[in-house]
Amino acid sequence: MEIVKARTNAEFLNKEYGTNYKAWYKSRWPYDIETWVWMVRIDGKVRDGWRNLPLKEGGMLEEFVGPGTPTYFNEKERRYRIIVDIVETSTGREYHIIGKYRYDKERSNEREHVFVKERFYD
């Protein structure tokens, strides 16, 4: 796992992917036509109606626990995610690049999105 020290999402993207952002407030950044870089906290806490949890078998769960129906998710738009766990430490923020994951349509539904780790990722 690679760890990048950065104060903001923009600084992380600039360091890791060579962008030149002054600000990037979204949790997703389009890496390529099939892949998002997904910068979130994977700690089980609910934020804006969403909770992100690691699964026992090594996958990742993005779960909508808020009221209503989630509106943004479109599994056909980008079916892969490079998952980055944002960790606050005593010395500042760290971005832990966990790996590349594929959306598991069979195990997912409208409110629970399951991602499984890709076998090969550089």
Side-chain angles (χ1 to χ4, degrees):
M1 169 176 49
E2 183 181 351
I3 297 174
V4 177
K5 290 186 178 282
R7 291 174 293 127
T8 65
N9 288 359
E11 186 178 329
F12 165 73
L13 292 169
N14 293 346
K15 284 182 174 184
E16 188 63 21
Y17 298 103
T19 58
N20 192 27
Y21 295 118
K22 291 182 182 179
W24 187 271
Y25 298 110
K26 299 175 184 178
S27 63
R28 297 176 298 152
W29 177 75
Y31 176 77
D32 63 26
I33 196 164
E34 289 191 312
T35 311
W36 288 112
V37 172
W38 189 49
M39 303 162 285
V40 293
R41 288 166 180 81
I42 303 168
D43 58 8
K45 292 182 182 176
V46 177
R47 292 179 179 86
D48 297 323
W50 293 93
R51 175 173 45 202
N52 306 307
L53 300 163
L55 298 173
K56 289 179 185 175
E57 71 278 2
M60 205 63 67
L61 172 67
E62 174 189 42
E63 180 181 29
F64 184 71
V65 295
T69 303
T71 56
Y72 89 88
F73 191 78
N74 177 356
E75 109 247 354
K76 293 178 184 134
E77 184 177 338
R78 286 190 169 83
R79 62 186 180 133
Y80 295 99
R81 289 187 184 182
I82 297 170
I83 297 180
V84 180
D85 185 14
I86 300 172
V87 178
E88 302 292 342
T89 71
S90 60
T91 59
R93 183 179 282 187
E94 295 179 349
Y95 288 75
H96 296 204
I97 303 170
I98 297 173
K100 186 173 183 178
Y101 288 70
R102 176 181 45 80
Y103 177 68
D104 187 339
K105 187 174 183 174
E106 302 301 316
R107 294 173 49 202
S108 299
N109 59 51
E110 185 177 75
R111 298 177 76 84
E112 294 182 345
H113 309 144
V114 175
F115 295 87
V116 294
K117 192 156 190 172
E118 282 294 284
R119 189 165 183 184
F120 300 105
Y121 175 71
D122 50 5

